[in-house]
Amino acid sequence: MALAPWRLDVPELGFKCAQGARGAADLARGDALHEIQEAGSTPLNASFPLPPVKDLDRFEKDVQHMVKPDHGTTTLGFIFENGVIIAVDSRASQGSYISSQTVKKVIEINPYLLGTMAGGAADCAFWQRNLGMQCRMFELKNKRRITVCAASKMLANTMYSYKGMGLSMGSMVAGWDPAGPAIYYVDSDGQRTKGKIFSVGSGSLYAYGVLDQGYSWNMDVETAVELGQRAIYHAQFRDAVSGGTCSVYHITKEGWVKLRGNNHFDMHYSYYPLGTQHATAANDVI
């Protein structure tokens, strides 16, 4: 006996089935935007709410131009016979505007480790504070202080996991461990490089010129501090988005200590009391 044809009498059944299928497909491929637009709420599998826009990638690129994150800097670090010198400026810019003259660009990770900020101020500050947490967890778990090598590798691994997601960071991780002094450069692409002399930021080329001329392995501490400060001063003078103050840190086996925090204008008039003494006056520099 043949079965009689029949269908379930549910209003708009086809539309509801299609809607459910589309929603399941969107969630399966990780696209939470459709669910937000349809339900007006965040789906359970989304880690955080996304902006209700059609083209999320284009929106994120536009935000970079509209918000103009804080950036612009000069940082440097070098190893010499008596430890490590870290020197930084304190200016942040947003586009063509100076947004701050008092940014703290040295992140004090622990009493023996320092990190520097170059690139996006928020990215550097957040992820280096996150590094401080990871280093403290390492100490609690292993009952010993983390090495500079391991700390820099942690930061590089974190940056590599976010590669291509819009982070902007070029940092130095410097410190002293049982193996001695060390400096590593780590950026937002996950690159990690060990070295003795680094300068990072928009004014780094000017700082390198002073460092290359004045660096010597067997400098005393006062000479090394003065070299770091003078390199930052010249970068501040030549680079429009570097300025503010110059902070100088010295790292030894006893830990780090901040030695200087001088204003750029005070440094300028201490180096060149008379305007005619400066190179920009087209006279010989005294």
Side-chain angles (χ1 to χ4, degrees):
M1 185 174 79
L3 295 175
W6 64 277
R7 69 183 300 273
L8 200 61
D9 189 16
V10 177
E12 301 181 348
L13 176 63
F15 172 76
K16 290 183 178 180
C17 289
Q19 187 181 39
R22 284 196 302 269
D26 289 340
L27 292 175
R29 69 171 182 265
D31 184 6
L33 180 59
H34 173 80
E35 188 73 8
I36 293 172
Q37 292 173 333
E38 293 292 325
S41 62
T42 304
L44 294 176
N45 70 331
S47 58
F48 55 85
L50 299 174
V53 295
K54 291 183 178 180
D55 190 343
L56 185 60
D57 292 336
R58 182 175 179 180
F59 174 77
E60 290 178 345
K61 292 178 181 179
D62 291 341
V63 166
Q64 291 289 326
H65 297 290
M66 292 186 288
V67 176
K68 297 179 180 177
D70 291 355
H71 69 281
T73 188
T74 303
T75 64
L76 64 87
F78 59 86
I79 302 174
F80 70 114
E81 187 176 27
N82 297 298
V84 181
I85 293 294
I86 296 292
V88 300
D89 76 320
S90 66
R91 176 177 290 180
S93 61
Q94 291 183 309
S96 58
Y97 297 95
I98 297 172
S99 57
S100 177
Q101 292 275 58
T102 57
V103 176
K104 187 176 182 181
K105 296 185 181 180
V106 173
I107 306 298
E108 297 154 358
I109 299 170
N110 66 32
Y112 298 88
L113 272 178
L114 295 175
T116 63
M117 293 171 49
D123 293 341
C124 294
F126 178 85
W127 288 113
Q128 290 199 34
R129 288 189 172 94
N130 176 268
L131 174 63
M133 178 196 70
Q134 294 185 62
C135 292
R136 181 57 178 155
M137 293 295 291
F138 178 93
E139 292 175 5
L140 293 172
K141 182 179 180 179
N142 297 279
K143 309 300 180 185
R144 61 184 177 87
R145 197 171 78 235
I146 193 169
T147 63
V148 184
C149 177
S152 64
K153 186 63 176 177
M154 283 182 174
L155 183 60
N157 288 344
T158 303
M159 291 299 98
Y160 189 80
S161 67
Y162 285 90
K163 184 176 180 179
M165 296 189 183
L167 295 183
S168 173
M169 194 184 84
S171 294
M172 291 178 286
V173 178
W176 195 292
D177 57 35
I183 301 179
Y184 288 83
Y185 167 77
V186 180
D187 65 19
S188 48
D189 289 331
Q191 176 184 345
R192 173 174 168 266
T193 307
K194 185 179 182 180
K196 288 187 177 180
I197 303 177
F198 285 113
S199 184
V200 187
S202 55
S204 61
L205 295 179
Y206 306 111
Y208 269 129
V210 178
L211 289 175
D212 290 343
Q213 187 274 333
Y215 175 80
S216 174
W217 171 257
N218 58 358
M219 291 182 290
D220 57 57
V221 174
E222 187 60 30
T223 303
V225 170
E226 179 60 29
L227 175 63
Q229 177 178 282
R230 194 173 187 105
I232 292 294
Y233 157 75
H234 282 287
Q236 290 174 332
F237 187 85
R238 296 288 184 179
D239 180 35
V241 289
S242 296
T245 61
C246 173
S247 298
V248 183
Y249 288 74
H250 181 213
I251 309 173
T252 65
K253 61 182 179 181
E254 284 80 29
W256 58 262
V257 59
K258 183 177 180 179
L259 298 179
R260 296 190 185 180
N262 296 326
N263 183 277
H264 172 74
F265 295 104
D266 294 336
M267 290 189 293
H268 178 79
Y269 289 108
S270 68
Y271 291 141
Y272 305 102
L274 300 176
T276 56
Q277 293 177 321
H278 198 276
T280 56
N283 293 321
D284 293 335
V285 179
I286 297 176

